[in-house]
Amino acid sequence: DIEHPLWYTAPSAKTMELAKKDDLSNTVVSDGQRGEPGFPAANLALTDEQIAKVKAGEFTVAISMGWLGDDWASQQLIGLKESFEAMGIKVVAETNANWDDAKQIADLDAISVLKPDLLVSIPLNGKTTASAYKKISDAGTKVVFIDQAVEGMDPGKDYASIISSDNLALGMYLADALAEATGGKGDVAAMYYANDFYVTNLRYEGFIARVEAKYPDMHVVVAAGHNDPNKGQEVAQGLLARYPTLSGVYASWSIPAMGAVTAATVAGRTPADFKIVNENFDQIVALNMAQNGFIAGISSQRPYDQGVAEAKVGALALLGEQTPPYVVVPPLKVVRSNLAESYKTIYRVDLPAEMAEALAN
Amino acid sequence: MTRPTILEMTDIRKSFGNIAVLKRVAFSLRKGEVHALMGGNGAGKSTLMKILTGVYSRDGGSVLIDGQPVEVHDTAAAERAGVAMIFQEFSLVPTLTVAQNIFLKREPRFAGTPFINGAEMKRQARLILEELGVDIDPDAPVSGLSVGYMQIVEIAKALSKKARILVMDEPTSSLSEAETEALFELVNRLKASGISIVYISHRMAEILKLCDRVTVMRDGETVMTADCADLSVAQIVEAMLGAGNATSFEWKDRQVPATAKPVVQVRNLRLDKRIDDVSFDIKAGEIVGLAGLMGSGRTEIAETIFGRRRAVSGEVLFDGVPVANQADAIARGIALVPEDRRKFGLVLDHSVRDNIILPNLERFTRHLFVQDAVALQTVRDTIRDLAIKTDGPDKLSRLLSGGNQQKIVIGKWLARDPRLLILDEPTIGVDIGAKSEIVETVRAMADRGMAVLVISSELEELMAISDRILVLHGGRIAQDMNRRDVATEEELHHAIQGHSRPQAALGAA
Amino acid sequence: MQSKATAAPRPPSALPKVQLQNYVVYIFFAVVLLFFSVTIGDKGFLSVMNLFNIARTTAMITVIAVAMTFVISAGELDLSVGSTAALAALTCGLVMQAGFGWPVAVLAALVAGLAVGCLNGFFVTLIGIPSFLVTLGMMQFIRGLDMRVTYTNPVSISNQSFNSLFGSGNLFGVPSLLIWSLVIAVLGHVVLKYTGFGREILATGGNRMAAEYSGVKTRRVKFAAFLLSGAAAALAGMLYSGMMQTARFNFGEGAELMAIAAVILGGTSLFGGRGTILGTFAGSLLIGTINNGLIIMGLDVSEQMMVSGGIIILAVAFGKKPTA
Amino acid sequence: MQSKATAAPRPPSALPKVQLQNYVVYIFFAVVLLFFSVTIGDKGFLSVMNLFNIARTTAMITVIAVAMTFVISAGELDLSVGSTAALAALTCGLVMQAGFGWPVAVLAALVAGLAVGCLNGFFVTLIGIPSFLVTLGMMQFIRGLDMRVTYTNPVSISNQSFNSLFGSGNLFGVPSLLIWSLVIAVLGHVVLKYTGFGREILATGGNRMAAEYSGVKTRRVKFAAFLLSGAAAALAGMLYSGMMQTARFNFGEGAELMAIAAVILGGTSLFGGRGTILGTFAGSLLIGTINNGLIIMGLDVSEQMMVSGGIIILAVAFGKKPTA
Ligand SMILES: Nc1ncnc2c1ncn2[C@@H]1O[C@H](COP(=O)(O)OP(=O)(O)OP(=O)(O)O)[C@@H](O)[C@H]1O
Ligand SMILES: Nc1ncnc2c1ncn2[C@@H]1O[C@H](COP(=O)(O)OP(=O)(O)OP(=O)(O)O)[C@@H](O)[C@H]1O
Ligand SMILES: [Mg+2]
Ligand SMILES: [Mg+2]
């Protein structure tokens, strides 16, 4: 009976069914936008022969991002660029629409001029930017979508694949992490990104579904939106002022989550009685977790792996191979006990000294 | 010979806040007459006329034109009623050109279209300006004009409206002799064609020369209306200022301390365009007048001494050392009272107090903080000494009457106690009483050793204040005369016109 | 920002410079075009398609900026244009979704834009609130409304006549977006420069009091400028939505700053009284060209921002010499 | 925006009203406080913690807005403050990460802020480019630089003395952020109102030429205003980062508009010549209080935007009566 976001639609029966499963590690929860089953990214592979062919092709690629400025975007870019370099594909353009659909169209228009062989891009919106993608695809550029496709384009024909996190699962892991940290009891809050955005919508949906299905004693008493991650603190403050007994919050991305950390600190709450979970595994929240701070759980994506998968799919598409329409990168649930190991998995390097030290205490 | 009355204003009342500015004023105007409206600064002349032209609404009383009551709520309505006004504080749009300003709201169109015929507009503008005897480019932006030229554009604009009643609020305050003559010619022609004119001025000589009748106001009341033929200047001044307050406004020989050493030496000064080769000195305690035609470059010389302009060649020495820039000039005790009070003289949105404090900030600052209490004393002194009519030191200067604004500008510089005071048209719009006060004050300061350079287009004033008069002509100092040797204004007038071609006899055409 | 009323007396020799400065935006536009043609002309920058792309992506800003030139010349500002564009786009989309034809939808969108202009005009001219505040508040209010009405969901527009007329279509091989911006710019130019209304706008912004004394009804003039701005924003919104075949609540975010930048870059004074539509048009194209060229050059986003920020400053510095 | 030189003649009866208008922001602040106290006082709005929250979240905007009052009073604008805040925060964070102590980091951040102020001042006062353009270009340039320097990654700040001094700490139970904003506001008030420099700022903005003729070095004065603004932005950046224990390239996005809104809401004229720091402070608190109260009321984002946008307009309309 809380007030859900404006764009919210209740989880489907199938989602509710899966939400009841105890162990999700071998399940792909989300389907593609057309109901396609997810293809695990780990199963993608190129033969040596294929790689040699790609190298010989001297292909070019353009990358059009919807935003930059978090580890998700930068790790993904690293994954993309490293893989492309390894395969001899040249990056000829890189754009950032900075959350602005119109800017993304302008970016795509400029990219179309370069006539790259491949485009890897995350559409900010499945409808608004559709024609710009269609134009590029019609001109013969292979398109690989990150997270979602646009309307009016068909897999296999107009684009190669969508590579996405399992966003419903991501939301469910968040619920698991929060329940684990709070003991599955008490009042909690959810902070959400107020704008209609495909992937964050799914995570919210997954979170709500899981809480409903599995944690009857944990009550989501309020959901509050923000349309600017920097405002996370203001929102969290408001929640804590109004619901002083909250035992935890799902605080969406890492920046709002850190805002919630600040809000909790100044509200006199302690990590012992207030838990925050979020969905970006970046340096900042990781450090806080290592330091026994408020961040109790992270439902992490694997942006680097996702970037690599995108590059692989792109390479296959360049060779004219058929690729699975919906490729899924599974989430990773990070808590303090598996922090070091998770860090290595996601970032491919050891935990920074500062975190290691904090973790040791 | 009484002509029919065209305008009848009776019982006009107007207050700003709780200050009554007009108290049951009556004013009437006959067809085809030139009617002088006189009164000290802040007497309410402009306010009365602004009520007539719909700028202000009256609190009470009635206005009859041709015997019919009229309600003018805005300037457009006034124009429909056949009333036009030359405003004292210029009503020009600085970003538009001369022609665009003259024809604002009345632009000629291409027949049958909504589009403005720019060429035709320029042609008509040029015609009107020619009639006024000046050569101004109709395409020049107004922001670049000197005050005198702006005033002419303002006049041209009002004339082009072809009104039946024309109000002129100090039209000649920034004009020099030649343009004034041309204007008078025009006024007489207008009058002959049956147009009625209200003429406001502080220049006494003009009034008797030009006008048929005079109405004098004092403190928001009409104190006298009479035929000019029956009046002397002294009578008018007495009516304006009250019995016994009448002051003389004439030159008295000063015991100039004959210091040998000049404070300022201008050496072979050459500036862009107008100034070719100008040299002169001013000694401590000396008051030097600078006369010249409009646009002859007097202001430019003043600004060069003040360090605002660079000379093309030649130099300005102050105490024998060149003036580097304006900051240097100010630091060494040079002050300039600029001719354009609205542009350069006042922060109109600031109070009288803040305006007077501004050039004296240093003096009132102790340990970073402005000593407002100390400053206030100086402010009050200035208000009292120059008889500035204001509700108090905190009144916004934009709300003061024109003459009182000018007094603030002068007062704030006098408070600085400079070593060289340059006054550029200092008494524009200032009433006769205050003018004499200012002249007295400047003299007293000169007696204490201050050097003074006065630029004025009003020869009477120049004659009254200067020890020595320089005449600027053709980019040079044409004459350097001792005041003692100048017998009449005509003489000076001739000197200024001296080498000029007959075209200077403007308006004779 | 130097008040117009207080321009320094310019030494006569500065006069030709002043003239040059009026053309700075054109000169700089030419320089930028030349630079990109030389460096990336072979990478497709000079292709007709790409030049059309530039015209297409700048169309919305151009349309808004033309009307903004009127508002700024009249001495005001309008920050609500971006959210108004979104409002109009949504109105248009929802009306078509409800089954009406595109002419009805266009009419409804224009009415929405005019309504916002009307409110802005009311608060600024009749209540006397500074336009910065009014239109900032309005910007937020309308954006909230945009979100509320659509639950932040996009509204697709499938009417192909609409989409081709307002967005992605061509007329004789020329993109309709380019035609729209040309038509609006020419119209704006003629109105501002050659009609009485244009003169009144400039007079109002140049010296409101003087304009009043001359019989200009400055309130009405300002009101009209806000109406124009609202209508232009509505048109821009329709162009956005026609181009994307969708309407969305976040259209036009930041468009207000871009438009104002185009206006000022073009040589219009932020203090009112002086305005040039041709300059605005060039300013808008300049911004669009820089953005496009830098992407094609392959600069990354941070470099793009640094360079385009730097160019905006230098474009103007270029034609200036230190003022005395 | 109505030019100071051209204010329409006010009817005399409006005079006492003008006085009231000077207090509108305070009155409205009181009204808003009262309203929230009544409606959501029991829901935590009135708790000391929440009131401190409001002060805390507005601290950054307040600090920027205080300096912005100087800039605006001098007749200019500074749009670069948001990105400068981010630059300073990043500088600070990176210097500490490099192993230096917090005093060095703070110094470095201030230097960064002053450098930006210096550049702004240079282009505006010495080259004579409109400040809107200079600072808009600078805003982009610096934001690009912010991204470049950190590859858009956040920089964590673990120095606890720094974090507590600049961010989340308390002094005698009072949040240090509140203390910072109080100190800056009081300082700003005293300087603007009681020192020669303050008078020079106001005179410069009121009529630049008249100030020049009176011996005010208006270039220097404006330059100083930009320096102040740069330094304040740097401080705001440190407050952001101290509070978040992180620095990030996109800190302070949109802060410039919020700060300008607070300034104008407080009663400072966008055209210069009139400025009040106390009003600015109240304006900033008013905005913060509205945002906070609406969140606690449980309004969703779209409703929050509509209500707060509406309030900004009404807050000023409230004390105005139609001008004749
Ligand atoms: N808008 C206003 N608000 C308040 N007071 C005003 C306003 N306009 C004029 N006054 C006051 O009304 C009085 C009469 O002013 P007015 O301008 O009519 O004088 P004037 O006779 O034209 O003087 P001057 O010869 O100096 O031009 C002055 O004291 C002035 O301060
Ligand atoms: N014909 C003109 N066209 C444009 N600007 C002019 C013209 N005449 C003068 N000015 C400008 O007006 C200002 C003052 O002019 P000038 O030095 O000629 O003053 P002046 O001799 O005192 O004349 P005035 O009696 O008109 O004040 C200068 O800034 C000058 O550039
Ligand atoms: Mg007067
Ligand atoms: Mg002069």
Side-chain angles (χ1 to χ4, degrees), chain A residues 20-21 52 75 86 112 143 184 187 202 224 238 254 291 339 348 350:
Chain A
K20 290 190 185 117
K21 266 182 87 168
Q75 284 295 314
S112 71
V143 177
D187 292 346
L202 286 180
S254 76
Q291 287 166 337
L339 180 61
R348 305 164 315 285
D350 284 328

Side-chain angles (χ1 to χ4, degrees), chain B residues 15-17 303 306 308 326-327 330 336 338 342-344 346-347 349-350 358-359 361 368-370 372 398 412-413, chain D residues 4-7 9 12 15 190 194-196 199-200 202-203 206-207 209-217 273-274:
Chain B
S15 309
F16 292 112
E303 289 184 348
F306 192 52
R308 281 201 69 77
Q326 186 194 306
I330 290 175
L336 169 67
R342 298 175 67 82
K343 248 195 207 171
F344 304 126
L346 289 173
V347 183
D349 276 336
H350 287 188
L358 188 60
L361 261 183
L368 295 176
F369 293 103
V370 180
D372 277 303
R398 80 154 59 251
K412 71 177 198 173
W413 296 106
Chain D
K4 62 198 162 300
T6 59
L15 270 169
V190 169
Y194 300 107
T195 70
R199 298 294 158 87
E200 293 186 337
L202 293 171
N207 182 345
M209 289 324 286
E212 274 279 330
Y213 274 78
S214 303
V216 177
K217 306 204 170 80
R274 222 175 314 127

Side-chain angles (χ1 to χ4, degrees), chain A residues 69 230 233 242 262 354, chain D residues 43 56 158 243 248 250 296:
Chain A
N230 286 330
Q233 188 205 348
R242 175 143 185 200
T262 308
E354 196 182 11
Chain D
K43 289 183 179 160
R56 230 183 250 120
S158 43
M243 192 173 76
R248 190 147 175 267
N250 70 348
I296 295 186

Side-chain angles (χ1 to χ4, degrees), chain C residues 119-120 122-124 127 129 133-139 141, chain D residues 28 265 307-319:
Chain C
L119 278 175
N120 284 334
F122 170 76
F123 283 110
V124 173
I127 312 285
I129 311 176
L133 277 186
V134 169
T135 59
L136 184 76
M138 196 61 78
M139 157 173 130
F141 179 83
Chain D
F28 215 78
L265 211 47
V307 174
S308 75
I311 288 183
I312 287 184
I313 300 176
L314 294 183
V316 191
F318 179 70

Side-chain angles (χ1 to χ4, degrees), chain D:
Chain D
M1 300 205 292
Q2 169 180 310
S3 166
K4 62 198 162 300
T6 59
R10 279 185 205 286
S13 57
L15 270 169
K17 279 282 163 198
V18 174
Q19 303 299 75
L20 180 72
Q21 279 167 30
N22 293 341
Y23 299 100
V24 160
V25 65
Y26 309 108
I27 296 171
F28 215 78
F29 182 46
V31 170
V32 165
L33 261 184
L34 196 74
F35 173 77
F36 282 136
S37 305
V38 171
T39 52
I40 48 170
D42 55 335
K43 289 183 179 160
F45 176 79
L46 275 181
S47 66
V48 174
M49 182 190 90
N50 190 54
L51 296 178
F52 278 172
N53 277 347
I54 295 175
R56 230 183 250 120
T57 29
T58 51
M60 281 82 70
I61 295 294
T62 301
V63 167
I64 290 178
V66 165
M68 187 73 84
T69 309
F70 283 82
V71 176
I72 293 181
S73 297
E76 304 289 338
L77 261 186
D78 188 352
L79 300 174
S80 69
V81 284
S83 54
T84 305
L87 181 70
L90 293 174
T91 307
C92 198
L94 292 173
V95 169
M96 282 192 274
Q97 276 198 350
F100 293 92
W102 68 263
V104 179
V106 169
L107 212 69
L110 281 177
V111 168
L114 288 170
V116 177
C118 204
L119 278 175
N120 284 334
F122 169 77
F123 282 110
V124 173
T125 67
L126 292 170
I127 311 284
I129 311 177
S131 57
F132 184 92
L133 277 185
V134 169
T135 59
L136 183 76
M138 196 60 79
M139 157 173 130
Q140 275 204 43
F141 179 83
I142 304 279
R143 191 68 76 186
L145 189 68
D146 293 340
M147 294 173 77
R148 186 88 215 149
V149 174
T150 57
Y151 299 113
T152 75
N153 292 322
V155 177
S156 60
I157 298 177
S158 43
N159 185 317
Q160 283 315 313
S161 349
F162 176 86
N163 287 336
S164 119
L165 188 60
F166 285 94
S168 30
N170 289 305
L171 195 70
F172 311 120
V174 182
S176 58
L177 284 173
L178 175 55
I179 295 176
W180 275 110
S181 53
L182 277 176
V183 166
I184 295 293
V186 168
L187 249 168
H189 176 69
V190 169
V191 170
L192 187 61
K193 192 138 188 191
Y194 300 107
T195 70
F197 174 65
R199 298 294 158 87
E200 293 186 337
I201 286 269
L202 293 171
T204 300
N207 182 345
R208 183 171 178 191
M209 289 324 286
E212 274 279 330
Y213 274 78
S214 303
V216 177
K217 306 204 170 80
T218 59
R219 257 169 240 278
R220 277 196 215 173
V221 168
K222 290 190 175 197
F223 203 99
F226 280 108
L227 283 182
L228 264 185
S229 180
L235 176 57
M238 290 188 274
L239 298 180
Y240 265 109
S241 58
M243 192 173 76
M244 305 285 285
Q245 319 200 353
T246 318
R248 190 147 175 267
F249 82 96
N250 70 348
F251 275 3
E253 267 177 4
E256 55 285 343
L257 280 188
M258 277 299 101
I260 298 174
V263 172
I264 311 282
L265 211 47
T268 295
S269 156
L270 190 54
F271 282 91
R274 222 175 314 127
T276 146
I277 301 280
L278 295 186
T280 297
F281 190 42
S284 176
L285 281 180
L286 176 59
I287 295 176
T289 306
I290 294 172
N291 290 345
N292 174 281
L294 295 181
I295 292 174
I296 295 186
M297 282 184 96
L299 265 53
D300 82 9
V301 173
S302 66
E303 292 159 341
Q304 286 172 34
M305 290 180 78
M306 290 171 69
V307 174
S308 75
I311 288 183
I312 287 184
I313 300 176
L314 294 183
V316 191
F318 179 70
K320 288 249 174 188
K321 65 173 220 176
T323 46

Side-chain angles (χ1 to χ4, degrees), chain C residues 38 66 127 133 138 144 210 214 217 240 248 256 263 268-269 294:
Chain C
V38 170
V66 165
I127 312 285
L133 277 186
M138 196 61 78
S214 307
K217 305 237 158 57
Y240 267 105
R248 194 154 175 246
E256 54 285 344
V263 172
T268 294
S269 156
L294 295 180

Side-chain angles (χ1 to χ4, degrees), chain A residues 68 77 81 91-96, chain C residues 294-295 297-307, chain D residues 144 147-148 151-152:
Chain A
L68 289 176
L77 274 177
K81 287 183 181 170
V91 180
V92 290
E94 183 194 328
T95 64
N96 167 19
Chain C
L294 295 180
I295 293 175
M297 280 184 97
L299 264 57
D300 83 8
V301 174
S302 63
E303 291 161 345
Q304 286 171 33
M305 289 182 78
M306 289 170 70
V307 174
Chain D
M147 294 173 77
R148 186 88 215 149
Y151 299 113
T152 75

